[in-house]
Amino acid sequence: MHGSLNAHRPEVSHRRILALALPMTLSHVTTPLLGLVDATVIGRLGEAHLLGAVALGAVIFDFVFWSFGSLRMATAGLTAQATGAGNKHEVDLTLARAFLVAGMTGLLLILLQWPIGALSFYAAGASEAVTAALSTYFFIRIWAAPFTLANYVILGSTLGRGRTDLGLLLQVAINVANILLTAGLVLILNLGIAGAAIGTAMSEVLGAGLGILVLRRLGSNPLAVTWAEVLNRAAILQTLAMNRDIIIRNVALILAFSIFSALGARAGDVTLAANAVLYNMFLIGGYFLDGFATAAETLCGQSIGARDERGFRRAIHLSLGWSLGFGLAVSAIFLIGGGLFIDFVSTNPDVRVYAREYMIFAALTPFFGAVAFAFDGIYTGATWTKAMRDLMVIAFAIYAATLLAAATLGNTVLWIALLIFLSTRGIGQAVLYPRLIKKTFARLT
C-alpha cells in the first residue's frame, strides 16, 4: 500500500486518556477568548455601541463558523483511522481533501457575505449605531473565513494523530496573536472596531500558517499527493457526507440552545439574566467533558484503523468512565458552590434569588450530558456520523415536544427539557453502539 506503515495498536489506558483529555480541556477554555479579547480591548474605548457591536459580532461568527465545525470532527476521525492503520499517505490525503473543502466553503462564505450579513443584522435587531459598527466588524472579519476553517482542519489532523498538546499550542498561539494585534491596532493605531476585526482576522491567518508548519514537522505534506487521488470520487463523497451529517447535527444542537435562550428572553429580563448566569455552568462543564470526548475520538479512531476491536471497546469503557466521573464531580461542585458562582457573576439581587431557584437544574447538566459528550467522541472517531446525526435529530424532536407539551410550566420546563435533551442523546447512542461495533469490525475482517 502506497505510503503505508505497519498498523499499530494504540495504547488504551487511564494514563493515555488523561494525556489526551487534559490539553484539550485547556484548549477549549481558550476558545471563547477570541471574542472576549475584542470585547475587552474595545471596552477600553468607553463607547457602548462599539462594545455591543463586538459582542454581537462574536455571536454571529461563532454561529457561522461553528456550523462548519464538522471540518474538525470529520478530519479527526478519518486521520485517527489512517494513523491507526499506519497509512501516512492516507493521512496526507485526508488533510488535502479537508483543506479543499475548507477553502471552497470559506470562499463561498466570502461570496455570500452580503446576504449572510443582512440576515444576521436583521436577526440581531440592534440600534442603528450598533448595526453600523457591527457591519464594519463583520465585513472585515469575514475575509478570514478560509483560514478559520483551515484551522479547524489543522486541529482535527493533530487530534487524529493523538497530539492534543499541539492542538493546545495552536489555540494558545492564535489567542496570543489576537491579543497583541488587536490591542496594537485599536489602542495604539486608533483603528477602532475595524482594528478589532483586522486583529482577529490576522490571528487566524497566522494560526493557519503556524499550523501548516506544525503539520510539516509531523511529516505531513498534503502537496505531495496527486489531484487524482484527492478527487477520488468515493473518498470525496465520504468526506462530504460526513461533513453534511455533522453540519446537520451541529445546526440541531445550535437550534436547541437558541430556543432555550429565546424562550428564556420571552419570560422577562430577570429570567433571561438568571438563565444566562446558570447556562455558564453548563458551558464550564462542557469544557471538561469535551476533553474526554476528544480522547475517545482519537483512541476509537486509531483502534478501528488498527482493526483492534478489544482496544476499541476498552477505549469506549474508559472514556465513558472518566466522562461520567468528571460530570458527577463537576455537578457536585456546582451543587455545593453554585450560590457563590451566581453571586460572583451577577450583583443584581433579583437575578441572584431567581437563579438560585433553578440552580439545581444547571448543576445537573454536566452529569446528564456526560454520556452524550463521550459518545460524540466515540461516534466521531468511528466515523458513525450518520447515526450521530439521526440520534441528534430524534433528541431534538423529543426536546421540542417536551417544550410544547409542558409550556405552562415556564422556566422549569425549559431546564427539564434541556436535561431530557442531553440524556436522550446519550441513551440513544448507548443503545445503538453495540450494533454499530459489530457492523464496523465485520466489515474490516
Side-chain angles (χ1 to χ4, degrees):
M1 184 182 294
H2 181 42
S4 179
L5 306 170
N6 292 327
H8 63 282
R9 295 181 178 181
E11 176 194 342
V12 182
S13 63
H14 292 288
R15 186 196 67 81
R16 184 63 175 148
I17 288 277
L18 289 174
L20 290 168
L22 294 181
M24 283 317 297
T25 297
L26 295 174
S27 175
H28 290 312
V29 171
T30 69
T31 300
L33 286 179
L34 279 177
L36 181 61
V37 167
D38 286 350
T40 302
V41 173
I42 288 295
R44 303 289 296 175
L45 300 180
E47 298 285 346
H49 70 285
L50 295 182
L51 185 57
V54 167
L56 285 174
V59 171
I60 290 169
F61 282 108
D62 282 348
F63 181 88
V64 171
F65 291 146
W66 195 58
S67 296
F68 296 101
S70 56
L71 285 163
R72 186 205 70 76
M73 297 171 74
T75 304
L78 292 171
T79 300
Q81 292 187 15
T83 301
N87 191 340
K88 178 180 175 296
H89 191 66
E90 187 60 35
V91 170
D92 286 346
L93 282 172
T94 297
L95 185 59
R97 292 187 191 108
F99 272 141
L100 179 63
V101 174
M104 292 177 65
T105 304
L107 290 175
L108 185 62
L109 289 175
I110 290 173
L111 291 174
L112 296 176
Q113 61 181 284
W114 291 104
I116 293 171
L119 182 62
S120 300
F121 303 157
Y122 174 78
S127 66
E128 286 187 17
V130 170
T131 301
L134 174 59
S135 177
T136 299
Y137 184 87
F138 176 86
F139 288 117
I140 292 174
R141 188 175 166 188
I142 192 68
W143 286 89
F147 299 96
T148 302
L149 299 184
N151 281 324
Y152 289 172
V153 171
I154 292 165
L155 182 58
S157 189
T158 57
L159 300 186
R161 303 161 200 255
R163 295 303 305 270
T164 55
D165 55 332
L166 294 178
L168 171 61
L169 170 68
L170 291 171
Q171 294 302 298
V172 170
I174 290 172
N175 285 313
V176 169
N178 187 35
I179 291 169
L180 296 177
L181 289 168
T182 300
L185 292 169
V186 174
L187 300 178
I188 298 175
L189 297 183
N190 297 315
L191 293 181
I193 197 165
I198 294 169
T200 301
M202 287 178 64
S203 69
E204 295 282 12
V205 174
L206 291 173
L210 176 62
I212 290 171
L213 290 177
V214 167
L215 292 177
R216 289 290 291 122
R217 292 286 294 178
L218 289 174
S220 274
N221 184 11
L223 297 178
V225 300
T226 66
W227 275 105
E229 291 175 302
V230 172
L231 299 177
N232 176 275
R233 187 173 183 274
I236 282 288
L237 288 177
Q238 180 192 23
T239 300
L240 293 175
M242 288 180 64
N243 278 278
R244 175 204 63 206
D245 293 339
I246 299 173
I247 287 172
I248 293 171
R249 175 257 186 200
N250 287 352
V251 169
L253 193 62
I254 291 169
L255 280 176
F257 296 147
S258 298
I259 290 170
F260 179 89
S261 299
L263 292 179
R266 290 186 181 184
D269 291 349
V270 172
T271 301
L272 174 62
N275 282 355
V277 171
L278 295 173
Y279 190 70
N280 279 286
M281 290 187 178
F282 170 64
L283 292 179
I284 292 169
Y287 294 146
F288 288 99
L289 297 176
D290 265 340
F292 292 105
T294 300
E297 195 174 278
T298 300
L299 294 178
C300 288
Q302 291 185 2
S303 295
I304 284 180
R307 304 188 179 192
D308 179 11
E309 183 174 354
R310 182 179 177 184
F312 182 82
R313 290 181 181 275
R314 178 164 169 76
I316 290 176
H317 296 151
L318 290 182
S319 300
L320 285 170
W322 276 103
S323 191
L324 277 167
F326 259 75
L328 180 61
V330 175
S331 286
I333 291 170
F334 284 151
L335 285 170
I336 295 168
L340 293 174
F341 177 81
I342 291 168
D343 292 345
F344 176 77
V345 176
S346 176
T347 58
N348 184 293
D350 293 333
V351 171
R352 285 178 169 182
V353 171
Y354 194 82
R356 276 176 166 78
E357 293 180 24
Y358 294 92
M359 186 182 75
I360 186 171
F361 296 112
L364 290 174
T365 55
F367 179 68
F368 273 71
V371 172
F373 273 86
F375 270 120
D376 277 348
I378 292 162
Y379 275 55
T380 300
T383 61
W384 297 335
T385 54
K386 184 177 182 297
M388 186 166 66
R389 175 201 71 191
D390 293 344
L391 290 168
M392 175 65 82
V393 171
I394 292 169
F396 178 82
I398 294 171
Y399 169 74
T402 303
L403 291 173
L404 289 172
T408 56
L409 293 178
N411 202 43
T412 301
V413 76
L414 265 183
W415 283 100
I416 291 174
L418 181 61
L419 292 177
I420 289 174
F421 176 63
L422 293 172
S423 56
T424 301
R425 286 178 55 218
I427 292 169
Q429 290 165 318
V431 169
L432 189 58
Y433 91 88
R435 189 186 315 168
L436 293 172
I437 290 178
K438 290 180 181 178
K439 184 178 178 181
T440 297
F441 284 94
R443 174 174 51 82
L444 292 175
T445 55

